[in-house]
Amino acid sequence: MAADTRSEATDKFFDSIIARQATLYDAVRAASDRYHRFNRSVVEGARMSSRDWTEVGRRAIANPRDMVSVYEAISEAVSNQQQRNLALAREWVEDRVEAQRETREVLRQGIGDVREVVERVQAQAPEFLRNVRRRSASNGNGRASKASAKS
């Protein structure tokens, strides 16, 4: 019977380790996905910016005297780049918030699991170990009990 209880406790312990590792791996995978998505956005923004500035060059070469058309193309390219930069900054901040929330949740779960294990161990500790702890706390770390034992 004691072997069954010990086996169940061991199984629960290793199952909780596996569950915690799975949670950590999921957090790492989510972070990797966020970085990949952000890098794709950076590359796409550079590609679109290149197209905008190519349009500026195209208008300048097509009609060099039409400064209004070239100015319009330049202002569109600059405003589009600003929009992309703002969207990229917003995406980065949202990703940081999401990563912080996931990390906080993983840590809370881990600390909660540790707390639960410690409480179970304390509850299942033999009575003589719990009594030693109480005596040492009441005698000032056990030093007074050694001095009183000598007298």
Side-chain angles (χ1 to χ4, degrees):
M1 186 103 138
D4 291 339
T5 305
R6 189 171 286 163
S7 173
E8 290 174 15
T10 303
D11 290 343
K12 285 182 184 179
F13 174 73
F14 285 110
D15 288 344
S16 68
I17 287 175
I18 290 171
R20 190 62 41 234
Q21 287 175 344
T23 304
L24 288 171
Y25 292 142
D26 288 344
V28 170
R29 184 183 309 123
S32 176
D33 291 344
R34 279 191 299 275
Y35 291 135
H36 178 70
R37 188 173 54 244
F38 180 78
N39 287 336
R40 276 195 351 231
S41 296
V42 168
V43 170
E44 182 64 21
R47 187 183 65 79
M48 292 173 76
S49 180
S50 175
R51 285 186 179 181
D52 289 344
W53 287 104
T54 302
E55 179 62 27
V56 170
R58 181 178 293 142
R59 285 189 188 182
I61 290 174
N63 193 357
R65 292 187 211 147
D66 187 10
M67 295 308 282
V68 173
S69 174
V70 173
Y71 179 77
E72 285 176 356
I74 290 172
S75 65
E76 284 177 17
V78 169
S79 68
N80 289 341
Q81 184 61 44
Q82 288 175 345
Q83 273 184 324
R84 284 189 291 272
N85 286 344
L86 287 173
L88 196 60
R90 186 177 333 122
E91 182 179 352
W92 183 81
V93 168
E94 289 172 357
D95 286 349
R96 294 300 91 215
V97 167
E98 181 70 23
Q100 182 182 19
R101 187 172 65 245
E102 285 178 359
T103 302
R104 184 176 48 238
E105 185 61 33
V106 167
L107 285 174
R108 280 184 182 167
Q109 287 177 351
I111 291 170
D113 289 348
V114 168
R115 181 181 299 132
E116 183 180 321
V117 167
V118 168
E119 289 171 356
R120 273 196 235 143
V121 167
Q122 287 175 345
Q124 294 178 358
E127 186 65 32
F128 72 90
L129 288 177
R130 284 185 262 166
N131 289 339
V132 168
R133 191 169 135 206
R134 287 184 201 140
R135 277 188 299 219
S136 65
S138 65
N139 292 333
N141 283 337
R143 292 184 184 146
S145 63
K146 290 179 184 177
S148 63
K150 289 182 179 179
S151 328

